[in-house]
Amino acid sequence: MYNSFGHIFRITTFGESHGVGIGVVIDGIPSGVRIDQDDIQAALHRRRPGQSDITTPRKESDRVEVISGLYHGITTGAPLTFLIRNQDAKPDDYQQMETVFRPSHADFTYLHKYGIKDHRGSGRASARETAARVAAGAVAKQMLTSKSQIEVLAWVQAIGGIEMPPMEGISLHLIDNNEVRCPHAETALQMRQLIIEMQESGDSVGGIIACHTQGLPIGLGQPVYAKLNAMLASAMFSLPAVKGFELGSGFAGTRMKGSMHNDAFYKDAHGAIHTRTNHSGGIQGGISNGEPITFQVGFKPVSTIAQSQSTVDTHGTEVSLAAKGRHDPCVLPRAVPIVEAMTWIVLADAWLMHRNSNWASIHPSE
Amino acid sequence: MYNSFGHIFRITTFGESHGVGIGVVIDGIPSGVRIDQDDIQAALHRRRPGQSDITTPRKESDRVEVISGLYHGITTGAPLTFLIRNQDAKPDDYQQMETVFRPSHADFTYLHKYGIKDHRGSGRASARETAARVAAGAVAKQMLTSKSQIEVLAWVQAIGGIEMPPMEGISLHLIDNNEVRCPHAETALQMRQLIIEMQESGDSVGGIIACHTQGLPIGLGQPVYAKLNAMLASAMFSLPAVKGFELGSGFAGTRMKGSMHNDAFYKDAHGAIHTRTNHSGGIQGGISNGEPITFQVGFKPVSTIAQSQSTVDTHGTEVSLAAKGRHDPCVLPRAVPIVEAMTWIVLADAWLMHRNSNWASIHPSE
Amino acid sequence: MYNSFGHIFRITTFGESHGVGIGVVIDGIPSGVRIDQDDIQAALHRRRPGQSDITTPRKESDRVEVISGLYHGITTGAPLTFLIRNQDAKPDDYQQMETVFRPSHADFTYLHKYGIKDHRGSGRASARETAARVAAGAVAKQMLTSKSQIEVLAWVQAIGGIEMPPMEGISLHLIDNNEVRCPHAETALQMRQLIIEMQESGDSVGGIIACHTQGLPIGLGQPVYAKLNAMLASAMFSLPAVKGFELGSGFAGTRMKGSMHNDAFYKDAHGAIHTRTNHSGGIQGGISNGEPITFQVGFKPVSTIAQSQSTVDTHGTEVSLAAKGRHDPCVLPRAVPIVEAMTWIVLADAWLMHRNSNWASIHPSE
Amino acid sequence: MYNSFGHIFRITTFGESHGVGIGVVIDGIPSGVRIDQDDIQAALHRRRPGQSDITTPRKESDRVEVISGLYHGITTGAPLTFLIRNQDAKPDDYQQMETVFRPSHADFTYLHKYGIKDHRGSGRASARETAARVAAGAVAKQMLTSKSQIEVLAWVQAIGGIEMPPMEGISLHLIDNNEVRCPHAETALQMRQLIIEMQESGDSVGGIIACHTQGLPIGLGQPVYAKLNAMLASAMFSLPAVKGFELGSGFAGTRMKGSMHNDAFYKDAHGAIHTRTNHSGGIQGGISNGEPITFQVGFKPVSTIAQSQSTVDTHGTEVSLAAKGRHDPCVLPRAVPIVEAMTWIVLADAWLMHRNSNWASIHPSE
């Protein structure tokens, strides 16, 4: 089933939405990384269900139990394992799903693939799996920030047709200032309004998350199949509901001329080489060039809606379905920390991969 | 450097643009696949430089030499190795590049990462590496089409701001009817005009390739990190110049309501379950649902342009650069077979991965 | 740290000897495999500490908690996760180890490699990690035996200088008939006597485990680097204390002439092709040939002994050390189920890998 | 078919014994490694057929063609690809093998696995594949010796029943002083005599190669599944004809008491910690401890013999077979450089893997 991600910093997630719990084994993390469990809980808190009136009412404390890998709060080089037990599972809500294919869900494909279907909350297809990624991302972040100035910041750029205007000075404070996680306060209000409308009408809505990474060293990423952008694209498309990924200028860049799109190099006042524009999105030839990495991720509207829909059951009989399970009218606010987590995981992996690039700079004493 | 792609059907490419040649080892291909070398050449012919007046004038016959893996034209289960020798390499054209960082190229990042730079035609960063992928893709196609009705069709959807209108009945014939590889003849003419303008003004332009796969069985792809969409996204973002990837409804889908976006299931006249719409792009929960797989790939304008540009050299001195190497004003027409090739490679891999999904359907005799 | 083993049937183990517990994620197991938890417990029971007067007195019930992957006792294709909590951990016994390097233990190498040392019971170096393998092996066994006649039988062939004579009709009953797990009752008595002598004198002893696999289909294993024998050798050498591995005729075979060593093919009464001898140990060219797979694994004497030994502490000062932690005077009896488990895991992996070997025999409907 | 070996320093070999040639792609080699092609040829020269009157008379110059990855003799970080063309292939010698299963060869298992059989010289099962490994091993050696004092020395310890006595001062000079590659001159003469007897009687003989590695840093190898010994065991068992592998005390160690077997630590005159004995063979807990790594590899007698043997053909009819292809009466002399090559490859991989073990010692500037 390929539940592992990463080459060297490698996570393996496990668990189901309505089973015992979900968890992650982080293998390949070096020894000597100090882990602050409160930071991990804080990250999970941002993803947690029930965090506001515009998210699912499911209540999960998402408390992380450390199963292995730490000694006095420091990684030992052994696999770091976290378990997050499910508390508010309500498998009964999914009784109907045992025989009905929910539109745009994985019920149909799972049953065909596996001949069996854990209908309770979608099993592995549930977005609950992403809690394990958020915990792992917090670890990646703690590792990298102990040796670098890297910052990763994601936010809600658009909900449905509502998009925030270009804006300077985006900060975590501005992002977390509202339940939508859009740093532009006025737009956030409109977005919130739209989400509530959807909630009330038993519908759902999608949107776009933007992510911005800075402080990255030059050189992360591998030239061909493990390009940093390919790793990011793969990471984002491994998330439920993602329909699009753009790096730097993205699809808009496809309409530009080369003479406009090319990022001219120049030497700054400190003698460092930078680019005047950043249409490349911080990655050239698959490798970070020291400029901010910028990308956008498009999420479709949530498939689970309360409105009655036409579908078929496992016998092929057409039936009508109105979802009973608790769900979000819009996943974007809760997806912000997930996008950040996957970015940190990719960066941690790329960082460790990069260390063997240039033999001339390798000191045998290490 | 991670020059391998795939889990079971696994390709490893090697070689440089202006060295001896480029090639590929295809490992994990089963025995018993009949390989038609003419088909491989035909696929390479579609990618070949110098194929028309709107592509680079570099002349390469791209003749594939089979080094291993075939016996009487049938795969033996041994690694299938192809070598394509470079014929028209002109490393002298790249003399200036030894010391100058070309804007939006990989020169700068490679030098930082590796401390060395094979400046002749960008080495591994050159799109010439993709010829090896096209050869491997032709093999994947021959394997799959011998046991299935799968068809993969890619075409140029947009060049710069010129986009073809929605259109039925797109066929290989219509696509290859013009040098642009846009099936809509009128739009193709406009696109061609734009490319020629770019060529004449020493500039370049990007665009969008659409790809459509049909005849796929239900069940390809793995639920979490090896989602079929994640594999496709990674494959496309491993190509040079790609800036965006969209599945199904893509970014437009982020603006729809769930009640509109959901793909309702129904039973067709033959008793098969299908969806009335295909916003999912043929993939649900990371797994193919039997509907056509539809995606779009955005390519930035070519970085190499003849116009003079401002940049810096390896000493940080600002210099002016006008490219001398032969290059395409627009990569899109030649990228069509590359997108198809990577799609076939992903499908071949996903097909072989899928075969171990359901123990109940596994016959021990195999 | 590379805590994963296997290509398709892939286990990842985690946990420490004196932490919360140990466990395993089994990824790549197909859906539809019926899992009997009592069988898993029975396998663990054979490995359990404190099972007899010749094993460590540590008391662990080794009760497996299923965290994920089962629905009504059947695998769903999701990762199967087991957690075995430590119950009788006595980290205090390891106080002295915080600063002393135990001879022939991993203390010295771990500290140098990781700069940190979880001294409580050796952390990941502890043989307690193998309980997770035994649980995974029981799953592999249940999977394979549901579709094949494969049998794996390991036993204690030698303890110290005492080796059992050649013997026909070895069965699980005979093996488990005594605490030593040597099927030859008389030899077992002598072995038991030797182990008790070692125990009483605060010393330890090693030995050889033989393993015999029959009922295997022809074709498991891959020709070059994933030869079935290479996978088995790697599996066995990943176990603590292993110093030697022999397939079929082993080192004795190196002294034979080719004309004697070659296994002549013949057709049996049922028209099946077999070999008259089996010096190959059931594997030719890395691939199973249908004959029994036979190998032997040599284990060194346990490093932890009660006798006083000379060593150095982390400051390099020479000190004297007498172990206080509970330990086995001889690991062989408890290693029998571990060798079997690793064999099942290799076979399950090889079985799934093999299914993509021959395109001609692949049915697209699967 | 899994033709790749290694985690970071990763080789993929390709080619057949009687096809175009054989080769290797070395991926993951850092940039900046100076490669001396003469050294590679020298290594191949030691493995070359026809090097003496006791080896196969097949004549191959084994000239390495560099296809990619070098620029002015320095690695660029791109995959390093070597091609060695076959010159003296005589597929006609293998005509009979098209329908006959040679005893103890891979003919039978390959045909069952792949349904096809490249009978000409065994295809991938041929020991000719190991020439590619020798070339890759020479690269690994050049990389490591440019930054360390590591030395790897293998020699013939035993041929048939003739074993050399324990000996000090073994050197490359003594080893290569005779065609057998046994450093003990008198024993070498006896071995040579035995090999010639085998040759004359149309028979073959096996033996044991010992390998000794010194100058290794402490810390190579990973604790659980990628133990340095597991990597070495896997590497050696991936070679044709290997039947046994022993580390340090090996099977003899299984007969010792723990109090004798344990390697006591002490501080030497320079303050370095060493062990008084080295029964561990330089590896403790899967990790190098700084002592010499010592192991032995057992090779069975060559399966191809000129004597007439009884076997069956593909129809199951019993036939008599006397080999016509050219072959070695004893592979040991030519296997010495192969064992060294695989050791270097494992060490290069373990070295690069090790660099991410301890976060505290990682400098972000790298």
Side-chain angles (χ1 to χ4, degrees), chain C residues 151-168:
Chain C
E151 288 173 51
V152 174
L153 215 51
W155 62 86
V156 171
Q157 177 78 20
I159 296 284
I162 306 171
E163 180 153 7
M164 62 175 269
M167 177 178 170
E168 295 288 312

Side-chain angles (χ1 to χ4, degrees), chain C residues 32-111:
Chain C
V33 180
R34 183 172 298 277
I35 300 299
D36 181 333
Q37 290 191 47
D38 291 341
D39 265 15
I40 298 175
Q41 286 303 143
L44 281 163
H45 193 83
R46 294 181 81 210
R47 196 214 73 97
R48 211 181 52 176
Q51 63 184 256
S52 75
D53 61 349
I54 58 169
T55 60
T56 169
R58 179 170 174 170
K59 294 287 177 203
E60 291 288 349
S61 66
D62 283 349
R63 177 94 5 220
V64 166
E65 183 184 357
V66 178
I67 302 294
S68 70
L70 284 189
Y71 185 55
H72 295 323
I74 311 276
T75 60
T76 62
L80 192 54
T81 309
F82 296 147
L83 178 60
I84 301 170
R85 291 189 181 268
N86 296 326
Q87 295 179 313
D88 190 22
K90 292 196 181 169
D92 290 353
D93 280 1
Y94 295 89
Q95 210 61 41
Q96 193 187 2
M97 282 60 162
E98 191 157 9
T99 52
V100 170
F101 296 128
R102 289 170 297 166
S104 290
H105 267 279
D107 303 340
F108 175 74
T109 51
Y110 269 54
L111 183 61

Side-chain angles (χ1 to χ4, degrees), chain A residues 38-91:
Chain A
D38 291 342
D39 265 14
I40 297 174
Q41 286 303 143
L44 281 163
H45 193 83
R46 293 182 80 211
R47 196 213 73 98
R48 212 182 50 177
Q51 63 183 258
S52 76
D53 60 350
I54 57 169
T55 60
T56 169
R58 179 171 174 170
K59 293 288 180 204
E60 292 288 348
S61 65
D62 284 349
R63 178 94 6 218
V64 165
E65 183 185 357
V66 178
I67 302 292
S68 71
L70 284 188
Y71 186 56
H72 295 324
I74 311 274
T75 60
T76 61
L80 193 52
T81 309
F82 296 148
L83 178 61
I84 302 170
R85 292 189 180 267
N86 296 326
Q87 294 178 314
D88 191 20
K90 291 196 182 168

Side-chain angles (χ1 to χ4, degrees), chain D residues 285-304:
Chain D
I287 299 167
S288 65
N289 68 354
E291 304 302 315
I293 292 181
T294 58
F295 60 84
Q296 301 199 103
V297 189
F299 291 79
K300 69 169 184 178
V302 176
S303 301
T304 308

Side-chain angles (χ1 to χ4, degrees), chain A residues 23-353:
Chain A
V24 61
V25 181
I26 308 171
D27 200 6
I29 183 162
S31 64
V33 180
R34 183 172 298 277
I35 300 299
D36 182 333
Q37 290 191 47
D38 291 342
D39 265 14
I40 297 174
Q41 286 303 143
L44 281 163
H45 193 83
R46 293 182 80 211
R47 196 213 73 98
R48 212 182 50 177
Q51 63 183 258
S52 76
D53 60 350
I54 57 169
T55 60
T56 169
R58 179 171 174 170
K59 293 288 180 204
E60 292 288 348
S61 65
D62 284 349
R63 178 94 6 218
V64 165
E65 183 185 357
V66 178
I67 302 292
S68 71
L70 284 188
Y71 186 56
H72 295 324
I74 311 274
T75 60
T76 61
L80 193 52
T81 309
F82 296 148
L83 178 61
I84 302 170
R85 292 189 180 267
N86 296 326
Q87 294 178 314
D88 191 20
K90 291 196 182 168
D92 290 351
D93 281 2
Y94 294 88
Q95 208 62 40
Q96 195 187 0
M97 282 62 163
E98 192 159 6
T99 52
V100 170
F101 297 128
R102 291 171 295 166
S104 290
H105 267 279
D107 304 338
F108 175 74
T109 52
Y110 269 53
L111 183 60
H112 270 78
K113 189 177 185 75
Y114 296 112
I116 194 175
K117 178 158 95 81
D118 182 350
H119 65 282
R120 303 157 306 164
S122 306
R124 287 298 283 165
S126 166
R128 183 146 180 74
E129 183 266 344
T130 60
R133 308 190 192 206
V134 169
V139 167
K141 178 181 180 178
Q142 292 183 36
M143 182 179 102
L144 289 178
T145 53
S146 73
K147 296 250 183 196
S148 77
Q149 304 297 321
I150 302 176
E151 288 174 51
V152 174
L153 217 49
W155 62 85
V156 172
Q157 177 77 19
I159 297 283
I162 305 171
E163 179 153 8
M164 61 174 270
M167 178 177 169
E168 294 288 313
I170 293 173
S171 67
L172 179 59
H173 175 73
L174 287 177
I175 294 166
D176 275 4
N177 217 15
N178 57 71
E179 303 96 331
V180 182
R181 295 213 164 85
C182 172
H184 192 263
E186 283 169 75
T187 311
L189 275 175
Q190 297 170 44
M191 289 171 168
R192 181 184 153 79
Q193 190 52 39
L194 177 60
I195 295 172
I196 288 173
E197 279 170 30
M198 292 299 114
Q199 201 170 24
E200 289 173 349
S201 58
D203 213 330
S204 68
V205 70
I208 297 171
I209 288 179
C211 186
H212 189 102
T213 297
Q214 57 188 25
L216 219 61
I218 304 169
L220 301 200
Q222 304 287 330
V224 188
Y225 298 108
K227 284 184 166 79
L228 191 55
N229 31 340
M231 289 168 71
L232 287 167
S234 168
M236 298 307 151
F237 264 97
S238 76
L239 295 173
V242 168
K243 307 300 289 181
F245 178 81
E246 293 183 307
L247 176 74
S249 63
F251 282 98
T254 69
R255 291 184 288 274
M256 296 169 73
K257 292 182 187 176
S259 55
M260 294 298 292
H261 192 275
N262 277 355
D263 296 317
F265 288 108
Y266 74 98
K267 189 158 72 170
D268 75 8
H270 309 288
I273 296 175
H274 284 287
T275 62
R276 294 196 188 276
T277 50
N278 187 20
H279 296 120
S280 299
I283 301 176
Q284 288 174 334
I287 299 167
S288 66
N289 69 354
E291 304 302 315
I293 292 180
T294 59
F295 61 83
Q296 301 197 104
V297 189
F299 291 79
K300 69 169 185 179
V302 177
S303 302
T304 308
I305 57 176
Q307 287 184 18
S308 177
Q309 301 175 84
S310 160
T311 186
V312 298
D313 64 16
T314 50
H315 306 292
T317 312
E318 301 217 0
V319 293
S320 170
L321 172 81
K324 274 196 249 163
R326 298 150 302 176
H327 58 272
D328 296 86
C330 178
V331 296
L332 277 283
R334 291 178 58 205
V336 164
I338 304 171
V339 166
E340 290 183 357
M342 289 310 291
T343 305
W344 282 112
I345 290 168
V346 165
L347 294 178
D349 194 30
W351 179 292
L352 296 178
M353 288 162 85

